[in-house]
Amino acid sequence: QQPVQSPQAVILREGEDAVINCSSSKALYSVHWYRQKHGEAPVFLMILLKGGEQKGHEKISASFNEKKQQSSLYLTASQLSYSGTYFCGTEIGERDGGSQGNLIFGKGTKLSVKP
Amino acid sequence: DAGVTQSPTHLIKTRGQHVTLRCSPISGHKSVSWYQQVLGQGPQFIFQYYEKEERGRGNFPDRFSARQFPNYSSELNVNALLLGDSALYLCASSLRSGLRFSGNTIYFGEGSWLTVV
């Protein structure tokens, strides 16, 4: 059930763009994206709900394709502060229409932005 | 407003001992979840409590237990500690139990770093 994130790691120069993908084998209710810096707790970036919506947060945006059970995180014009490990957390839908109420996280994508 | 607060921030225990970790959710949040994060991995779900009732349990042994108090704070207890229990334990709070509701985001505390020696 654990979503698969790709790539595992990426190195960028300041100003470059990156895409991080998150794929699940289960039907999803929502996808949550977090960034975690070394030695700190994960920080919420955005949530995407069923409906294929796309959300943005400054220069970070994301999309959710519920048919493919995939989400992508887009980082444009990267800044040094974007460095960290990005996790997608997926909320699995249940047959009765409910949800499990918890997130299943991928293994993370380590992003390093160099000057 | 204060975020999710956890205590202690760091602790070292010996194999076989017991540990209690504490969490206070964001004011107004009624749901508290616990996650374990081993180095190099994503957080793994342990428990969710909502309105003092257990709403979900992850794939963890019975040595792990939790409870939620009337003020919505929570405790995570781990008995008979093993070396493999060494991890960052994250508490997360959210307004409601179901995450699919728009805006019902979970917010993590800074975590409790547990080292078992």
Side-chain angles (χ1 to χ4, degrees):
Chain A
Q1 288 188 350
Q2 184 179 38
V4 176
Q5 287 187 233
S6 63
Q8 289 183 332
V10 58
I11 299 175
L12 300 174
R13 293 283 183 191
E14 264 188 301
E16 291 182 338
D17 302 339
V19 179
I20 300 172
N21 300 301
C22 175
S23 180
S24 174
S25 60
K26 297 283 187 179
L28 301 177
Y29 258 126
S30 63
V31 179
H32 304 234
W33 286 95
Y34 290 81
R35 176 172 60 214
Q36 186 177 31
K37 294 185 180 286
H38 183 70
E40 299 179 7
V43 173
F44 170 76
L45 292 176
M46 65 188 71
I47 176 176
L48 298 111
L49 306 176
K50 278 173 64 174
E53 64 179 283
Q54 185 158 352
K55 284 202 164 188
H57 177 68
E58 298 179 346
K59 294 181 180 177
I60 301 175
S61 62
S63 62
F64 177 26
N65 186 325
E66 62 184 271
K67 287 184 179 179
K68 293 186 176 180
Q69 293 146 201
Q70 292 176 344
S71 178
S72 294
L73 186 72
Y74 307 93
L75 301 103
T76 57
S78 59
Q79 306 168 12
L80 295 176
S81 62
Y82 286 5
S83 292
T85 301
Y86 289 77
F87 292 99
C88 69
T90 55
E91 182 194 9
I92 307 297
E94 299 285 353
R95 287 185 180 177
D96 63 358
S99 78
Q100 294 182 349
N102 58 276
L103 294 179
I104 301 173
F105 287 90
K107 291 186 177 182
T109 295
K110 186 174 182 180
L111 177 73
S112 301
V113 181
K114 308 290 185 183
Chain B
D1 283 343
V4 180
T5 57
Q6 293 186 243
S7 63
T9 54
H10 294 82
L11 67 165
I12 300 173
K13 291 285 188 177
T14 304
R15 275 180 299 174
Q17 282 188 317
H18 161 270
V19 67
T20 297
L21 307 178
R22 296 178 175 83
C23 170
S24 293
I26 293 171
S27 178
H29 284 196
K30 297 182 178 180
S31 177
V32 170
S33 300
W34 288 94
Y35 288 79
Q36 180 197 63
Q37 187 175 23
V38 175
L39 201 63
Q41 300 292 320
Q44 188 172 359
F45 173 69
I46 310 175
F47 286 111
Q48 185 199 24
Y49 277 79
Y50 178 69
E51 289 282 17
K52 292 156 283 183
E53 290 187 2
E54 183 183 301
R55 287 298 185 96
R57 173 185 286 253
N59 189 23
F60 280 81
D62 292 342
R63 299 184 295 108
F64 288 76
S65 64
R67 55 179 175 168
Q68 187 177 33
F69 299 101
N71 66 353
Y72 302 110
S73 66
S74 177
E75 280 184 356
L76 175 70
N77 295 284
V78 187
N79 293 322
L81 286 167
L82 304 174
L83 295 179
D85 294 332
S86 296
L88 175 65
Y89 287 86
L90 295 162
C91 174
S93 80
S94 60
L95 274 171
R96 287 169 287 192
S97 176
L99 297 177
R100 68 185 180 280
F101 302 107
S102 180
N104 195 31
T105 309
I106 71 168
Y107 295 94
F108 286 100
E110 291 298 314
S112 293
W113 292 91
L114 171 64
T115 301
V116 182
V117 297

